[in-house]
Amino acid sequence: AVVSTQSTGVMKGFNDDEICDFVDFVRDRPISVRLLEFMPFSGNAWESPKFLPFDLQKRVIEERFGPLTRLIDCSSSTSMNYSLPGHTGTVGFISSMSRNFCGGCNRLRLTHDGMLKVCLFGKDEVSLRDILRDSNLPEEKRTEMLHAVIAGAVKKKKFSHGGVESIKEQMKRPMILIGG
């Protein structure tokens, strides 16, 4: 059984020559290594030529290690997970750019400054901090308001992001200020 997950972003021309090294790392370790497609965020020097889609990452691995076997993932998984011949660990692909999984994503992110994001790529955020810090609110009313704000934000969650071009155009926080 896999006991730990290690994730790394893959960028063409930067670390794509290390993909097989990451996979080799799980040969005798009960670890899942997850390879993330390079995603456009504020401050990360996004350029399309640095993008290496899931299918090409998978092809590189299969050329060296043989065919990957798809594992059964839960319906809200953001990773497509595979086992490898002769490996204790597994490899997963987070293909948020080439294979949109927004419709099944159940992730919410609470930023360091108390903002709730229902989509990693969305610019929309709602403040939970203001409700939590309002000392004039009785606890029951605060809880009721938090539930209403969170439910309202989740109901507005989009089924799909608009693709790389629309993500690039939106002003977003750098990933380091969102949390992952």
Side-chain angles (χ1 to χ4, degrees):
V2 172
V3 296
S4 177
T5 300
Q6 302 296 317
S7 299
T8 187
V10 176
M11 290 172 50
K12 191 186 302 181
F14 181 74
N15 66 348
D16 59 321
D17 61 336
E18 299 173 343
I19 290 174
C20 290
D21 295 335
F22 290 119
V23 174
D24 225 9
F25 183 73
V26 304
R27 182 179 301 278
D28 300 314
R29 294 177 179 92
I31 295 172
S32 176
V33 65
R34 291 197 177 156
L35 304 174
L36 290 81
E37 291 178 337
F38 186 42
M39 301 174 274
F41 283 99
S42 177
N44 77 348
W46 164 264
E47 296 173 1
S48 295
K50 294 180 184 176
F51 174 69
L52 187 66
F54 145 76
D55 57 338
L56 295 180
Q57 294 178 36
K58 184 175 179 254
R59 184 178 312 149
V60 166
I61 294 168
E62 289 183 321
E63 286 173 359
R64 174 150 169 209
F65 297 102
L68 302 178
T69 302
R70 181 73 191 265
L71 301 173
I72 298 172
D73 301 313
C74 70
S75 61
S76 62
S77 179
T78 57
S79 178
M80 295 179 291
N81 298 292
Y82 293 82
S83 62
L84 298 100
H87 283 65
T88 302
T90 61
V91 63
F93 300 93
I94 299 180
S95 58
S96 51
M97 297 291 93
S98 66
R99 293 185 178 210
N100 190 311
F101 50 73
C102 302
C105 178
N106 66 357
R107 306 307 193 267
L108 301 175
R109 287 178 169 77
L110 185 60
T111 65
H112 73 285
D113 57 352
M115 302 300 284
L116 178 71
K117 292 184 71 67
V118 297
C119 177
L120 182 60
F121 301 116
K123 63 182 177 186
D124 297 335
E125 300 177 350
V126 294
S127 176
L128 301 184
R129 175 194 60 223
D130 297 340
I131 298 168
L132 291 168
R133 287 188 177 170
D134 188 345
S135 60
N136 295 320
L137 282 176
E139 190 63 32
E140 187 174 307
K141 181 67 174 170
R142 178 178 292 121
T143 302
E144 183 181 303
M145 288 177 70
L146 284 170
H147 285 181
V149 167
I150 293 168
V154 169
K155 285 178 185 171
K156 292 179 182 174
K157 186 175 172 88
K158 296 180 179 153
F159 183 77
S160 174
H161 65 65
V164 173
E165 292 306 315
S166 72
I167 292 171
K168 285 187 338 185
E169 292 171 13
Q170 293 185 44
M171 283 301 294
K172 297 166 295 312
R173 297 174 183 243
M175 185 64 175
I176 195 167
L177 295 180
I178 296 172

